[in-house]
Amino acid sequence: MLLIDAGNTRVKWALAANDATPGDWLEHGAVTHADLPQLELAWSEAVARHGVGRIVIANVAGNALRVQLEYVLQRAFPALDLDQAITWFASVPALAGVTNGYRNPAQLGCDRFAAAIGGHALAPGQSIIVANCGTATTIDAVTADGFFLGGMILPGLGLMAGALARNTAQLPRIAHDAKLPDGFADNTDDAILSGCMVAQSGAIEHAFAQHGAAMCILSGGAAPHIAPLLTVPYRLIDNVVLIGLHASVADTEPF
């Protein structure tokens, strides 16, 4: 099966055997929205090597990206009936051992629901915080028995730094991979970086303490930069949304 996480900046994908453990990929990759046409060749080659019969997509980037994805998939898999093969993942009241506690379950972002499922699959029987640090940072709480309590959304690391650069005349734009200073910053570049990084890690640790969590599942493009600041137990996971999509398939009827 082909699993696709269409986020606000990148499209992540993984190819997995139907009976594989979630996260055990045959192949995987990621492209920016601008490079989406490159996936036609990558997916064509993947299907030639392994075959694809089912496609599961979590899309939070809107209808325009959905149309682009459908076009690339049609070209990559001309022999596949995409109307039958594609499942557009959506938030529902309960799936794969996770109960959706949102006031309106359908309103929960499908990426957050998939990440909660992925986190619960990775840490069954543990109360967890799932922090997905991408364009936006989402921080969600899941109980040990799989109840999704809700969470918080804040600008991601890049958005925070970029907003300061755009809206404050004398503040520079800071590279996201710059080194965090020790202690208090003694220059403006480091002060911006320190403030943004500590805001991210502090929000995660606040949620961790409020939930009384045992583990933080940390994922997303900015996660490796935020992880060293955390003082709570965490697992750094490459793509928790894809893992959640994979786990969700095991809880549905065979295709």
Side-chain angles (χ1 to χ4, degrees):
M1 75 185 76
L2 176 63
L3 309 166
I4 301 172
D5 171 19
N8 290 301
T9 302
R10 296 189 301 155
V11 174
K12 288 79 70 179
W13 64 275
L15 196 66
N18 291 337
D19 57 353
T21 301
D24 185 9
W25 314 132
L26 297 169
E27 300 184 35
H28 63 93
V31 298
T32 63
H33 290 186
D35 292 328
L36 195 63
Q38 295 179 6
L39 291 177
E40 180 185 340
L41 178 59
W43 289 344
S44 297
E45 292 177 344
V47 74
R49 285 189 288 269
H50 307 289
V52 170
R54 184 172 190 174
I55 302 167
V56 184
I57 307 173
N59 173 33
V60 297
N63 190 62
L65 186 65
R66 174 171 174 153
V67 171
Q68 293 177 56
L69 277 170
E70 288 174 332
Y71 177 75
V72 174
L73 288 165
Q74 286 168 358
R75 293 183 61 87
F77 309 124
L80 203 59
D81 182 351
L82 294 183
D83 289 336
Q84 295 295 319
I86 294 177
T87 298
W88 293 96
F89 184 82
S91 296
V92 295
L95 183 65
V98 174
T99 300
N100 185 345
Y102 237 42
R103 186 179 304 171
N104 177 359
Q107 190 182 47
L108 176 63
C110 65
D111 57 337
R112 292 173 65 195
F113 191 48
I117 291 171
H120 185 63
L122 290 166
Q126 295 187 62
S127 59
I128 58 171
I129 289 294
V130 182
N132 203 12
C133 308
T135 305
T137 294
T138 60
I139 306 170
D140 293 312
V142 183
T143 65
D145 60 356
F147 190 83
F148 177 90
L149 293 170
M152 60 183 76
I153 304 172
L154 60 152
L157 186 59
L159 279 180
M160 276 190 174
L164 281 170
R166 286 191 303 273
N167 298 307
T168 310
Q170 297 185 21
L171 294 185
R173 182 177 292 276
I174 304 303
H176 74 278
D177 56 352
K179 184 180 183 298
L180 188 70
D182 295 325
F184 291 104
D186 59 4
N187 63 86
T188 301
D189 286 10
D190 284 352
I192 295 171
L193 180 63
S194 179
C196 293
M197 294 280 275
V198 171
Q200 299 285 317
S201 62
I204 292 169
E205 295 199 342
H206 174 82
F208 192 97
Q210 184 176 0
H211 182 35
M215 176 64 61
C216 175
I217 302 297
L218 188 66
S219 192
H225 306 294
I226 297 168
L229 278 70
L230 294 179
T231 60
V232 299
Y234 70 87
R235 287 180 61 185
L236 190 59
I237 302 298
D238 185 40
N239 196 311
V240 72
V241 173
L242 291 179
I243 292 172
L245 293 180
H246 196 178
S248 74
V249 172
D251 196 53
T252 59
E253 292 297 321
F255 181 72

